[in-house]
């Protein structure tokens, strides 16, 4: 019997039948090699096709011209070599019933001149984009002519590759750069009134439609309201949408709201944890009502209930769940199987995008396989024989190891020293804005319950506690403990960020926070301290504060710091602390001039220096193990059994993972747990 679920209903887009209403919108995971969508890129999209998605939109965006150098690992749509790569990707996805499209663009000013072939960046007007900092030249008539031709050639390549369609990018790039009064101050036929400002995009859409014919899908992802006093208004945005529809060259609108020329602005377009869910959904519904035309949309639609609501209420025709598919590429398959509760949640950490914007590749904070499909599988293979395993520690690393081992058929017990699972995540969620991170733990606890894994709480495990289970495999995931930076004096006078986050120590009236870790723990503690009303100075020895945090997550911290008047001091190191009456004196110095020293008188000094490995149990068990704790890294990297027998008298195999090895982050802990557990 056909499903009545609104999300599972097909959608007819001209000749193309999309099998359900769920899509992954265009984004650039930066998996390309020399601008080509090679195997890593292909398998990433193929996994979503296997997971039941109706439409996967590749690229974010593929660039149509050499003078649009890649800013995010973009695909090179201007090169003929891309066609066979995309054909293989499309053919593979089509086998699972998923449609494949690609987003095309000229980045305009949203890139840098010192990338690619070092050609000048251009824009409608010579107005600099703060995010990428290039000063563009004003596009000349010959630039416009050749770029229109480049769009046509790129579209023809995509059609030759067997893709189902293309989507033009028009938010923050060249096309809408002409639309917006904030970026177009021209006085020729491409500036002034709306018809002139739309002239370039009209030239592109009409030329491409003529080239590809009527039976190839052509859409546009457009900003219909820049929410900017000097930018494109809602009224003009709606009018642009109506004119695009009336022009007849476009088959769908993919609607976005806001502007993206700075980190702060981008954060409102692509919200992260602690921000409202689906903030632009009603706006997208208004565009659909105004145009009576197919409308797609994605902006923090993270859960199935919201996606279902968007379709059921007629706000959207296709709902984009892009970051959620990075967390779990099998969303639709689980809905179809009645296993909606088993969907791995997107917790809004936006580790994926932060890595892209900082020059890395997209990785999910708690799905280690996404982006690594060339070497690992989302479907966990059963082990050749069952083993009895003990996992010590119920933080993210321990829970992931237990989950994967149990999926492989091993008999698993987890020992946890405290009365609850979560490890350091329990500290992070004390910052109210980051409460969604608990989803990393809750999902694993539900999976372990399904798999029949027992967690023994309030067991501060020693060697005998572990040996009582007569294990064949022991995984030490005991995490770390807060450590202080090396000071010349005053170690006993400082407070750790962990104490602040745990609530065991209240913020003082005047606080100096020294952070030489540069990641979320220090920033979260600073946010809590500032929120408590303290007068706070954040001191970092780095060139800029919190270098381990990308631009997307930087924004909410910076917002709090601005609102609470937090003083930020860089290039400065905490040297020592001493007591003076009821105050503390923090002595600061510089790595760049040894003789310099400054003093701050405060009521509290808080420090963040990562975690020290809590490895006592590991070293207690090490001489009793078969492998003596040793790991064959070559085998591990090659996805072969990584443990070798070094002690014939040993009783079990032993590994340690996560911060029990060294201070790192959540993704590193989960990746390490998965890569070991999936081989043991």
């Amino acid at each position: 019997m056909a499903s009545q679920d609104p999300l599972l209903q097909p959608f007819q887009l001209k000749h193309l039948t999309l099998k359900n209403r769920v899509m992954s919108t265009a984004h650039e995971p930066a998996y390309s090699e020399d601008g080509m969508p090679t195997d890593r890129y292909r398998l990433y999209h193929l996994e979503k096709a296997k997971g039941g998605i109706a439409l996967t939109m590749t690229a974010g965006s593929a660039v149509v011209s050499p003078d649009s150098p890649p800013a995010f690992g973009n695909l090179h749509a201007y090169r003929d070599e891309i066609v066979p790569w995309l054909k293989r990707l499309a053919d593979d996805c089509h086998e699972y019933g998923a449609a494949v499209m690609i987003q095309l663009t000229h980045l305009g000013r949203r890139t840098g001149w010192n990338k690619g072939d070092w050609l000048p960046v251009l824009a409608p007007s010579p107005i600099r984009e703060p995010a990428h900092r290039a000063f563009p030249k004003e596009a000349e008539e010959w630039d416009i002519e050749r770029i229109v031709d480049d769009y046509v050639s790129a579209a023809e390549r995509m059609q030759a590759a067997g893709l189902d369609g293309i989507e033009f990018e028009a938010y923050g790039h060249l096309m809408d750069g002409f639309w917006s009064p904030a970026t177009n101050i021209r006085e020729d036929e491409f500036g002034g009134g709306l018809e002139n400002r739309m002239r370039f995009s009209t030239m592109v859409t009409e030329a491409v439609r003529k080239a590809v014919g009527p039976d190839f899908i052509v859409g546009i992802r457009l900003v219909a309201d820049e929410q900017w006093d000097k930018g494109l208004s809602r009224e003009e945005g709606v009018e642009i949408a109506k004119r695009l529809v009336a022009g007849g060259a476009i088959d769908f609108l993919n609607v976005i709201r806001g502007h993206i020329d700075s980190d702060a602005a981008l954060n409102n377009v692509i919200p992260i944890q602690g921000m409202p869910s689906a903030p632009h959904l009603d706006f997208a519904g208004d565009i659909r009502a105004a145009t009576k035309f197919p409308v797609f949309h994605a902006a923090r639609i993270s859960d199935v209930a919201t996606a279902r609501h968007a379709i059921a209420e007629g706000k959207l025709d296709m709902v984009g769940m892009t970051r959620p598919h990075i967390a779990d590429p099998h969303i639709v398959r689980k809905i179809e199987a009645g296993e909606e509760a088993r969907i791995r949640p997107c917790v809004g950490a936006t580790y994926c995008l932060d890595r892209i914007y900082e020059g890395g590749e997209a990785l999910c904070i708690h799905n280690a396989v996404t982006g690594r499909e060339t070497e690992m599988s989302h479907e966990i293979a059963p082990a050749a024989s069952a083993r009895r395993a003990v996992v010590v520690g119920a933080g993210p690393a321990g829970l992931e190891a237990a989950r994967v081992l149990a999926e492989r058929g091993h008999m698993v017990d987890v020992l946890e020293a405290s009365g609850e699972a979560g490890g350091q995540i329990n500290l992070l969620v004390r910052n109210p804005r980051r409460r969604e991170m608990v989803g990393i733990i809750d999902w694993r606890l539900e999976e372990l319950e399904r798999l029949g894994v027992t967690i023994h709480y309030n067991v501060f495990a020693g060697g005998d506690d572990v040996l009582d289970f007569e294990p064949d495999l022991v995984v030490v995931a005991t995490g770390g403990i807060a450590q202080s930076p090396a000071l010349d004096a005053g170690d006993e006078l400082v407070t750790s960020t962990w104490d602040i986050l745990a609530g065991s120590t209240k913020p003082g009236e005047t606080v100096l926070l020294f952070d030489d870790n540069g990641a979320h723990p220090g920033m979260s503690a600073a946010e809590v301290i500032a929120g408590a009303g303290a007068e706070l100075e954040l001191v970092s020895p780095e060139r800029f504060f919190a270098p381990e945090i990308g631009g997307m997550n930087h924004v909410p911290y910076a917002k709090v710091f601005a609102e609470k008047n937090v003083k930020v001091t860089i290039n400065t190191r905490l040297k020592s602390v001493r007591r003076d009456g009821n105050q503390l004196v923090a002595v600061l110095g510089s790595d760049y001039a040894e003789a310099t020293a400054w003093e701050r008188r405060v009521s509290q000094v808080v420090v963040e220096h990562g975690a020290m490995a809590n490895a006592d149990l590991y070293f207690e068990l090490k001489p009793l193990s078969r492998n003596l704790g040793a790991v064959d890294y070559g085998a591990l990297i090659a996805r072969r059994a990584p443990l070798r027998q070094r002690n014939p008298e040993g009783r079990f195999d032993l590994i340690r993972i996560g911060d029990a090895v060294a201070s790192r982050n959540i993704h590193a802990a989960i990746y390490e747990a998965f890569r070991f557990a999936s081989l043991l």
Side-chain angles (χ1 to χ4, degrees), residues 267-268 270-277 300 323 347-350 353-354 433 436 520 551-556:
N267 216 233
N268 291 321
I270 309 176
I272 68 170
Q273 61 184 209
M275 300 178 72
S277 172
R300 202 163 190 249
R323 280 176 287 177
V347 297
T350 316
L353 288 180
D354 266 349
R433 188 179 57 78
E436 290 170 74
H520 282 286
M552 300 293 289
N553 275 283
H554 172 93
V555 171

Side-chain angles (χ1 to χ4, degrees), residues 392-409:
V392 187
L399 294 179
E400 177 72 350
R403 179 187 76 87
V404 177
L405 290 169
E407 285 278 17
R408 285 175 58 73

Side-chain angles (χ1 to χ4, degrees), residues 460-473:
F460 194 87
D464 290 342
D465 298 297
V466 174
L467 296 176
D468 283 346
F469 286 88
E470 299 183 356
D472 187 56
L473 171 65

Side-chain angles (χ1 to χ4, degrees), residues 419-591:
E420 62 178 336
Q424 291 179 48
I425 286 180
N426 292 333
L427 294 177
L428 294 181
V429 299
R430 295 296 184 97
N431 180 344
R433 188 179 57 78
R434 306 196 73 206
R435 284 178 183 154
E436 290 170 74
M437 296 290 280
V438 77
I440 295 171
I441 302 303
D442 288 347
W443 180 76
R444 286 172 172 79
L445 291 177
E446 291 167 4
E447 286 292 284
L448 291 183
E449 183 177 359
R450 177 182 65 85
L451 293 164
V453 173
T454 300
I455 302 179
H456 307 268
Y457 292 105
N458 299 307
V459 178
F460 194 87
D464 290 342
D465 298 297
V466 174
L467 296 176
D468 283 346
F469 286 88
E470 299 183 356
D472 187 56
L473 171 65
V474 178
V475 179
V476 175
T478 44
I481 55 177
Q483 63 179 341
S484 297
L487 301 179
D488 295 336
D491 299 84
E492 74 283 0
L493 299 176
V494 302
T495 299
S496 80
T497 58
W498 292 29
D499 292 331
I500 295 293
L501 291 172
S504 57
T505 301
K506 300 299 182 184
E509 292 184 5
T510 56
V511 182
L512 183 142
L513 192 160
F514 176 66
D515 177 18
D516 69 347
N517 183 20
H520 282 286
M523 292 301 99
S524 282
E527 187 172 348
V528 169
I529 293 167
E535 181 182 323
L536 173 64
E537 179 178 5
L538 174 67
V539 176
S540 170
E542 308 286 351
R543 290 175 294 163
F544 54 92
F545 72 93
E548 295 300 315
I549 294 175
M552 300 293 289
N553 275 283
H554 172 93
V555 171
Y557 292 124
K559 183 176 186 294
V560 169
F561 294 173
E563 292 172 346
K564 302 297 183 180
N565 197 29
V566 174
K567 181 180 179 181
V568 177
T569 302
I570 60 171
N571 290 335
T572 302
R573 188 174 297 279
L574 178 65
K575 295 291 190 179
S576 65
V577 181
R578 70 177 187 272
R579 187 174 295 282
D580 185 5
N582 63 353
Q583 286 192 312
L584 298 177
V585 178
V587 179
L588 307 177
S590 170
D591 293 346

Side-chain angles (χ1 to χ4, degrees), residues 151-448:
Y151 267 104
V152 170
S153 297
E156 290 175 330
R157 290 184 190 95
M158 303 307 110
Q159 189 175 36
L163 272 62
D164 297 285
I166 59 173
E167 173 184 85
F168 299 125
E169 169 70 296
Y171 81 100
H173 292 196
L174 182 63
M175 197 173 278
D176 62 297
F178 278 95
W179 297 347
S180 176
T183 49
N184 184 348
I185 56 174
R186 299 172 73 105
E187 297 180 353
D188 61 2
E189 66 271 29
F190 293 95
L194 189 58
E195 182 176 352
N196 279 1
R197 284 183 277 136
M198 287 190 68
R199 190 178 306 279
F200 171 70
S201 55
T202 300
M203 291 168 64
V204 171
T205 55
E206 289 181 351
V208 167
R209 175 55 73 193
K210 182 178 179 181
V212 299
D215 297 328
F216 189 61
I217 301 294
V218 178
I220 186 167
R221 192 174 196 185
L222 74 155
V223 56
D225 175 10
E226 286 192 301
Q227 293 188 302
W228 198 7
D229 56 358
K230 61 182 180 181
L232 198 66
S233 68
R234 178 185 177 121
E235 292 71 26
E236 280 197 314
V238 172
E239 179 61 25
I240 288 172
K242 288 180 177 179
R243 293 191 185 194
L244 287 167
V245 170
I250 297 297
D251 300 315
F252 68 85
L253 304 174
N254 189 346
V255 178
I256 203 70
R257 193 181 196 190
H259 58 106
I260 59 173
D261 59 310
S262 68
D263 287 342
L266 178 65
N267 216 233
N268 291 321
V269 175
I270 309 176
I272 68 170
Q273 61 184 209
M275 300 178 72
S277 172
H280 309 306
L281 177 56
D282 289 341
F283 173 75
D286 292 345
I287 300 298
R288 185 176 185 268
T291 59
K292 306 295 190 296
F293 203 66
V295 167
F296 304 172
H297 172 65
R300 202 163 190 249
I301 301 175
S302 300
D303 61 282
V304 171
T306 303
R308 187 175 286 125
H309 164 78
I311 300 299
E313 295 300 316
K315 296 180 183 295
L316 303 177
D317 295 288
M318 294 293 294
V319 58
M321 301 186 73
T322 307
R323 280 176 287 177
H325 272 84
I326 294 175
D328 191 338
H330 296 166
I331 290 173
V332 175
R333 181 175 61 79
K334 289 177 180 177
I335 296 172
E336 292 171 337
E339 297 180 332
E340 191 173 315
R342 288 198 58 214
I343 294 171
R344 186 190 312 240
C346 173
V347 297
T350 316
Y351 185 66
C352 50
L353 288 180
D354 266 349
R355 286 184 56 83
I356 296 169
Y357 290 134
E358 298 304 312
E361 79 275 54
L363 296 172
C364 176
I365 195 168
H366 77 127
N367 186 340
V369 182
T370 295
R372 297 188 176 101
E373 286 85 0
T374 57
E375 58 191 84
M376 301 192 299
S377 174
H378 291 269
E379 299 294 334
I380 297 171
S385 59
R387 307 172 72 180
R388 176 165 291 282
V390 172
V391 177
V392 187
L399 294 179
E400 177 72 350
R403 179 187 76 87
V404 177
L405 290 169
E407 285 278 17
R408 285 175 58 73
H410 300 309
M411 297 167 285
V412 183
D413 286 271
V414 179
L415 309 182
E416 167 56 38
S418 73
E420 62 178 336
Q424 291 179 48
I425 286 180
N426 292 333
L427 294 177
L428 294 181
V429 299
R430 295 296 184 97
N431 180 344
R433 188 179 57 78
R434 306 196 73 206
R435 284 178 183 154
E436 290 170 74
M437 296 290 280
V438 77
I440 295 171
I441 302 303
D442 288 347
W443 180 76
R444 286 172 172 79
L445 291 177
E446 291 167 4
E447 286 292 284
L448 291 183

Side-chain angles (χ1 to χ4, degrees), residues 9-13 16-20 54-55 99 101 296 318:
Q9 304 310 304
F11 177 64
Q12 195 67 33
L13 182 62
L16 179 65
T17 301
L18 298 169
K19 65 180 181 178
N20 56 59
L55 168 62
M101 297 189 194
F296 304 172
M318 294 293 294

Side-chain angles (χ1 to χ4, degrees), residues 114-153:
N114 59 348
K115 303 177 186 294
D117 295 311
W118 285 55
L119 296 172
V121 169
L122 60 78
S125 299
I127 299 172
R128 181 181 190 245
E129 187 209 51
H132 288 82
R133 300 186 298 279
F135 291 91
K137 78 157 192 168
E138 181 174 294
E140 302 176 61
E141 70 284 350
W142 59 270
D143 289 312
I144 292 170
E145 291 170 3
R146 69 177 172 79
I147 292 170
V148 171
D149 289 343
D150 288 344
Y151 267 104
V152 170
S153 297

Side-chain angles (χ1 to χ4, degrees), residues 589-664:
S590 170
D591 293 346
Y592 305 98
E594 292 185 8
T596 59
W598 309 274
E599 291 187 350
R600 302 283 197 272
R601 293 181 179 273
V602 294
S603 59
Q604 187 180 57
V605 175
V606 179
V607 296
E608 167 57 37
H609 188 67
M612 179 186 300
N614 180 20
D616 289 349
L617 177 63
Y618 167 80
F619 287 108
E620 181 182 349
L621 294 173
K622 180 178 174 179
L624 305 177
S625 66
R626 285 191 287 263
N627 63 315
L628 297 178
V631 176
D632 182 340
Y633 282 156
L636 180 68
I637 293 167
R639 301 288 302 156
R640 301 191 308 269
L643 307 184
R644 299 287 180 267
Q645 187 177 96
R646 296 162 64 91
N647 175 20
E649 304 301 318
R651 299 162 59 180
F652 50 84
D653 290 333
L654 175 67
I655 59 169
R656 60 173 169 155
I657 57 176
D659 279 8
V661 180
S663 183
R664 287 168 288 174

